[in-house]
Amino acid sequence: MDRVEAPGDEEAMPPSPLLAEARGLLPGIVAVRREIHRTPEAGIHLPRTQQTVLRALAGLGLTVSVGERLSSVVAVLEGAAPGRTVLLRADMDALPQQEDTGLEFASQSEGFMHACGHDTHTAMLVGAARLLAARRQRLAGRVVFMFQPGEELSGGAQLMLEEGVLGDTEGSPKVDGAFALHVAARYEAGTVHLRPGPQFAAADFVRVTVRGRAGHAAAPHKVLDPVPVACEIVQALQTMMTRTVSVFDPAVLTIASVTAGSTFHVVPETAELYGTYRTFTDASRQVVRDGIVRVAHGVAAAHGAVADVELVDGSPALHNDPRFTVGARRAAATVVGPGHVHEMPHPTMGGEDFSYVLRRVPGAMAFLGACPPGRSPATAPDNHSNRVVYDESVMAIGAAVHTAVAEAFLAVPATEARLFGEGADGIA
């Protein structure tokens, strides 16, 4: 894939007028991103991040509200004429990990880091709000800007839905379509990647506690050691996955943590397994759930032990609406050129709680390539790495793509039966 040029490198592809305008806003977008990056906050309560967003949106003539149970921001832009409503979303929360990037604007909050690019998502959506506010007179309908806390395991999207971000409460505009972007260091900078149908997996969690009898390690025959039982459960779970889950409906189960005991000569009473399973359909999700319970209980019972199984639902699988995806691809191509918009050959097993939104309204999520200069996408530190770095120049592209998708969606009159992307040609 060819790399879309950075600002100032105009030989590869002349910028669209919209992209040129977005690049003019890039210094302000970068400033917002770096302010958020320096002071990362995790979870659903992000007071400093919320205030940064509110300051960045001031003066744009938006109707702004904040969440009651979380530090969300919802801003509504009314167009000059009536029409449909499109939602654009950015997540704002960071991860509980130490940053090791060496950036001059690196995290100043010990043990927290924007390692998944949510700071860039927020800054790009601020940029889109500024672009669209300047285009208010040409818009028929409205744009809802959804700034969401708590994407990383905290249920932020669900809470915002419960508080009416989709127009479920009286006086709120009902959302007709939704779009989001996610940066990825493993894609060439400036490229856009998405696919119709499943794009992210359901991200669920499992904890198995094996209970035995504690005692002296020198006399294992007098105790009931939970450690080998736990190890056998791990192995049996992998066999279960390959023999009960259809290869045509893939699933992944990873036990990422095994903990037991506190010293070398005491057999502990319990051993704990903690992990995640990822699926794309409700059918395979249930097969895996049933299999975990059956295997854990059965293996433990075979050794005279007991296994307690806790299954915790995470976000469901994210499915892009096929017609909306076509429309989004066409809109993105007007910004970066058709040769830089790619259909993903397969989905990712990563989780994304924008899925809650897309279960309620048609829409799509796309990846925006952000591999940093001088690095190869094949080897660049990936999302969630303590060393991940993103090419900040692509934030202008992200703001422009958000804007292009919103304008294209609102250009379809609400009175017409056809949908966004319907009848559109695909992009190679």
Side-chain angles (χ1 to χ4, degrees):
M1 291 181 290
D2 296 329
R3 181 179 182 277
V4 174
E5 75 282 6
D9 177 10
E10 305 298 337
E11 295 182 3
M13 185 188 74
S16 68
L18 175 59
L19 180 53
E21 186 177 346
R23 284 178 172 160
L25 299 178
L26 185 59
I29 296 172
V30 169
V32 171
R33 185 258 171 148
R34 293 188 176 188
E35 181 177 346
I36 294 171
H37 193 92
R38 287 189 186 96
T39 56
E41 299 170 298
I44 62 173
H45 299 296
L46 320 174
R48 289 176 298 188
T49 306
Q50 183 186 59
Q51 288 303 311
T52 298
V53 171
L54 292 173
R55 287 194 299 270
L57 297 178
L60 296 181
L62 310 178
T63 302
V64 179
S65 60
V66 297
E68 297 179 1
R69 290 179 289 170
L70 71 172
S71 301
S72 60
V73 177
V74 177
V76 179
L77 171 64
E78 293 285 349
R84 299 196 293 178
T85 299
V86 63
L87 179 146
L88 304 176
R89 178 270 207 165
D91 39 12
M92 305 190 294
D93 55 321
L95 285 161
Q97 65 187 83
Q98 188 65 32
E99 180 167 353
D100 294 302
T101 62
L103 294 170
E104 61 179 272
F105 54 90
S107 170
Q108 298 173 359
S109 302
E110 188 73 18
F112 293 93
M113 174 193 178
H114 269 289
C116 200
H118 296 187
D119 53 335
T120 69
H121 302 168
T122 301
M124 290 190 297
L125 194 55
V126 166
R130 293 171 177 174
L131 289 169
L132 286 161
R135 288 165 160 70
R136 185 193 309 268
Q137 294 306 313
R138 69 178 74 171
L139 297 178
R142 64 195 59 77
V143 184
V144 176
F145 302 95
M146 174 183 178
F147 293 91
Q148 178 205 317
E151 190 278 328
E152 300 284 356
L153 311 181
S154 300
Q158 274 187 302
L159 289 173
M160 291 192 71
L161 263 62
E162 291 171 9
E163 293 193 354
V165 70
L166 295 183
D168 301 320
T169 58
E170 186 177 351
S172 299
K174 184 179 182 303
V175 171
D176 301 296
F179 181 71
L181 280 172
H182 200 303
V183 294
R186 288 293 180 91
Y187 284 128
E188 200 75 37
T191 56
V192 177
H193 306 256
L194 73 167
R195 68 191 309 277
Q199 177 144 323
F200 288 86
D204 300 321
F205 308 93
V206 55
R207 189 187 306 273
V208 178
T209 303
V210 181
R211 302 188 184 279
R213 292 191 308 275
H216 203 295
H221 60 291
K222 295 182 179 180
V223 301
L224 204 171
D225 191 346
V227 175
V229 179
C231 293
E232 190 171 326
I233 289 173
V234 174
Q235 294 295 94
L237 287 174
Q238 298 307 317
T239 302
M240 177 275 293
M241 293 292 291
T242 65
R243 292 300 178 266
T244 62
V245 179
S246 170
V247 295
F248 303 107
D249 188 4
V252 167
L253 168 63
T254 297
I255 299 300
S257 173
V258 181
T259 57
S262 58
T263 187
F264 74 98
H265 63 326
V266 175
V267 172
E269 184 173 294
T270 62
E272 187 174 86
L273 309 175
Y274 189 41
T276 181
Y277 54 100
R278 309 296 174 103
T279 55
F280 291 113
T281 66
D282 291 340
S284 63
R285 200 179 193 187
Q286 192 59 51
V287 167
V288 174
R289 286 172 175 152
D290 293 343
I292 291 171
V293 173
R294 183 177 63 252
V295 167
H297 287 170
V299 172
H303 294 279
V306 173
D308 298 330
V309 180
E310 180 186 7
L311 301 175
V312 180
D313 288 349
S315 57
L318 184 149
H319 288 250
N320 286 338
D321 178 80
R323 281 193 284 255
F324 194 105
T325 300
V326 172
R329 290 175 63 193
R330 286 171 59 88
T334 66
V335 176
V336 298
H340 297 285
V341 182
H342 304 275
E343 181 167 320
M344 296 168 60
H346 52 75
T348 172
M349 282 291 182
E352 170 54 66
D353 79 349
F354 189 56
S355 58
Y356 288 109
V357 174
L358 297 190
R359 284 199 162 195
R360 300 273 291 275
V361 299
M365 182 175 226
F367 282 110
L368 174 63
C371 183
R375 298 299 301 262
S376 166
T379 58
D382 205 357
N383 293 6
H384 286 222
S385 167
N386 58 318
R387 301 184 187 279
V388 67
V389 175
Y390 302 104
D391 185 343
E392 290 186 314
S393 73
V394 307
M395 292 193 293
I397 295 173
V401 168
H402 270 304
T403 301
V405 170
E407 287 189 309
F409 183 85
L410 297 181
V412 179
T415 55
E416 289 194 14
R418 67 189 178 94
L419 301 174
F420 179 53
E422 190 170 44
D425 294 329
I427 300 172

